[in-house]
Amino acid sequence: MTEPATDRRAALKERSRQAIVRAAAELMDETGGTAFTVDELAERADVSRRTVFNHFASLEDVFAEVCAEVLGELIEKLAVPIDAAATGGPTTEPGPAMLDELAEVVRSTDLVTPMAYLTRTLGGTDAGGPWHANLLTRALSQVGEGLTAVLRRRHPGADPLDLQLLVSAFTGGVLVCHAHWWERTGAADDDASRAVWAELLDRLIHQLRTGFASTR
Amino acid sequence: MTEPATDRRAALKERSRQAIVRAAAELMDETGGTAFTVDELAERADVSRRTVFNHFASLEDVFAEVCAEVLGELIEKLAVPIDAAATGGPTTEPGPAMLDELAEVVRSTDLVTPMAYLTRTLGGTDAGGPWHANLLTRALSQVGEGLTAVLRRRHPGADPLDLQLLVSAFTGGVLVCHAHWWERTGAADDDASRAVWAELLDRLIHQLRTGFASTR
DNA sequence: TGCACTCAGTGCATCGTTGCACTTAGTGTA
DNA sequence: TACACTAAGTGCAACGATGCACTGAGTGCA
């Protein structure tokens, strides 16, 4: 993918920022959490410690950006089949119920790997703390916005309220499922964990179907 | 080789400078001369055009630096066997005549490759012009200083005047040999060219021996 | 409980790069 | 011969990174 036409200053700035985010993701993966210092992050990113704070207001903001990128990739994964179904352009013709479509896409996408990563790195040392809770809220909001945008592209004729209610109920349900999944699997990234997740997801979808089956 | 302890600013400065020199050496090699623009050099070095002039006063200075590095490596090559002969520390004991030692070292070092490179890139388009002549003068001076330093390490008891006269006569002789070599071989980098160079070198050494054979 | 330490975060000045407009010299063409 | 163009080189201001001293919060220990 060619870089957008930009001047060298902007390119340098973006490179520094990406280096910090990438370094944080690596350290989070290696340490299974967020227990590293700004000095370690700066060294790994090959920038000065002041530069980290030039780009981010706090370490928490860095973690949030790592999450945002993981979740952004997740939403892109979910968007691909939904957008593909729209090949030939979006239509207002009645199609499958949005819930069924969303359910099928979510079922066929591996959510366990990113969830395991985020749960391990953010939930490991201080799960439920106000700091991590804030990150989780931001993450959920981002997922919700991303899904809403994708479904809107697919169903431009859909009532916006219906659509947003669906997404809100869905992401809220995913949060509940996540807590159960974590409790039962310890956020492992393996087949047993995937089986539990699939079961919880089926429960959620079943519960939501009765309320949104007529949405077209 | 570990980088010297330095701060990040100094490291960046040095990286930029080295990138410019390296890019110039590549372009000189690829184009067989110096007929490229500052814009091309800056692009290859991945710096801005202003940065080139932050580090060097002119394109000519960049070329001079490329030469200096090639010649510096050359002098290092010559220095290795001379310094190795001094293993156990320098001595004022009578040793082989300096000329014989210098001759042996020069004979056993491949001078044709760097000479071919420098002749091709600097002599190709405007040989003998005042601009290139200036580069040649600087190059010769650098070689002379380098050789003088090496021989001084090896023969600390030698009379400085004798030593400098030897080096001056030698480098002057090399310049003459180079002109003949160029005329006869076209500055090719091959075995035939090496044979001609060896012959010319023997002539030079033979001519110099009668004047310096007693130097110890 | 007071003290020492570590670390996140901050303010400010400096450095090196960069963007851009400019001048000047050299060159080619009508 | 005048004009247009290219390219080297320059001055100046702005940007982004960096160095460094500093404050405050949290923690551990005597």
Side-chain angles (χ1 to χ4, degrees):
Chain A
M1 173 182 290
T2 58
E3 283 186 359
T6 179
D7 65 15
R8 297 182 60 87
R9 270 185 186 144
L12 170 62
K13 186 174 182 179
E14 184 57 26
R15 271 204 305 278
S16 297
R17 188 173 195 282
Q18 284 303 323
I20 293 165
V21 174
R22 190 175 306 121
E26 286 174 11
L27 287 169
M28 285 159 78
D29 198 21
E30 287 169 20
T31 65
T34 56
F36 49 83
T37 68
V38 174
D39 280 331
E40 288 170 319
L41 173 58
E43 184 179 353
R44 175 67 69 100
D46 198 20
V47 297
S48 82
R49 149 183 232 286
R50 195 68 196 80
T51 300
V52 174
F53 291 105
N54 286 343
H55 288 271
F56 297 95
S58 62
L59 256 186
E60 179 184 333
D61 272 4
V62 177
F63 300 147
E65 179 65 23
V66 171
C67 290
E69 292 202 355
V70 171
L71 294 171
E73 288 168 14
L74 183 57
I75 291 164
E76 279 187 31
K77 279 180 175 179
L78 293 174
V80 166
I82 296 181
D83 282 333
T87 298
T91 178
T92 54
E93 292 287 323
M98 282 193 287
L99 176 60
D100 290 333
E101 186 169 61
L102 186 56
E104 185 54 36
V105 159
V106 165
R107 276 193 180 109
S108 64
T109 306
D110 179 24
L111 298 182
V112 166
T113 295
M115 278 196 323
Y117 173 80
L118 291 174
T119 310
R120 181 161 47 88
T121 55
L122 295 182
T125 52
D126 187 21
W131 191 69
H132 278 162
N134 186 40
L135 281 178
L136 206 52
T137 300
R138 290 164 73 169
L140 216 58
S141 174
Q142 179 186 345
V143 170
E145 289 166 14
L147 277 179
T148 299
V150 171
L151 289 175
R152 184 169 284 135
R153 284 206 296 276
R154 176 73 180 99
H155 302 273
D159 185 273
L161 180 61
D162 281 348
L163 200 146
Q164 284 174 337
L165 283 171
L166 169 64
V167 168
S168 172
F170 187 79
T171 53
V174 163
L175 188 61
V176 172
C177 286
H178 172 268
H180 281 252
W181 170 76
W182 189 0
E183 189 183 335
R184 289 169 61 180
T185 67
D189 189 348
D190 56 24
D191 285 344
S193 170
R194 281 184 176 79
V196 171
W197 176 250
E199 176 197 329
L200 289 167
L201 206 55
D202 283 344
R203 288 283 303 274
L204 168 64
I205 293 168
H206 178 75
Q207 288 292 84
L208 290 176
R209 180 164 282 128
T210 54
F212 289 94
S214 65
T215 307
R216 288 179 178 278
Chain B
M1 174 183 289
T2 58
E3 283 188 357
T6 179
D7 65 17
R8 299 179 62 84
R9 269 181 186 150
L12 171 62
K13 187 174 181 180
E14 184 56 28
R15 271 204 306 278
S16 297
R17 188 174 194 282
Q18 284 305 322
I20 293 163
V21 174
R22 190 173 309 122
E26 286 174 13
L27 288 169
M28 285 159 79
D29 198 21
E30 288 168 21
T31 64
T34 56
F36 49 83
T37 68
V38 175
D39 280 331
E40 288 170 320
L41 173 58
E43 184 180 354
R44 177 65 69 100
D46 198 20
V47 298
S48 81
R49 142 183 238 287
R50 197 64 194 85
T51 299
V52 174
F53 290 106
N54 287 342
H55 289 272
F56 297 95
S58 63
L59 256 185
E60 179 183 334
D61 272 4
V62 178
F63 300 148
E65 181 64 24
V66 171
C67 290
E69 292 203 353
V70 171
L71 294 170
E73 288 169 15
L74 184 56
I75 292 164
E76 278 188 33
K77 280 181 175 177
L78 293 175
V80 165
I82 296 180
D83 283 333
T87 300
T91 178
T92 53
E93 294 286 324
M98 282 192 291
L99 176 57
D100 289 332
E101 187 168 61
L102 185 56
E104 186 54 35
V105 160
V106 166
R107 276 192 180 107
S108 63
T109 306
D110 178 25
L111 297 182
V112 166
T113 295
M115 278 196 323
Y117 172 81
L118 290 175
T119 310
R120 181 159 47 86
T121 55
L122 296 182
T125 52
D126 186 22
W131 193 67
H132 279 159
N134 186 38
L135 282 177
L136 206 52
T137 301
R138 290 166 72 170
L140 216 58
S141 173
Q142 179 186 345
V143 170
E145 289 166 12
L147 276 178
T148 300
V150 170
L151 288 175
R152 185 170 282 133
R153 283 207 296 276
R154 176 72 178 100
H155 301 274
D159 183 275
L161 181 60
D162 280 348
L163 200 145
Q164 283 174 336
L165 283 171
L166 169 62
V167 168
S168 171
F170 187 78
T171 52
V174 164
L175 189 60
V176 172
C177 287
H178 172 269
H180 281 252
W181 170 75
W182 190 359
E183 188 183 335
R184 289 171 59 180
T185 67
D189 190 346
D190 55 26
D191 286 344
S193 169
R194 283 184 176 78
V196 172
W197 177 249
E199 175 197 330
L200 290 166
L201 206 55
D202 283 346
R203 289 284 303 275
L204 168 64
I205 293 166
H206 177 75
Q207 287 293 84
L208 290 176
R209 180 164 279 125
T210 54
F212 291 94
S214 65
T215 306
R216 286 178 179 278

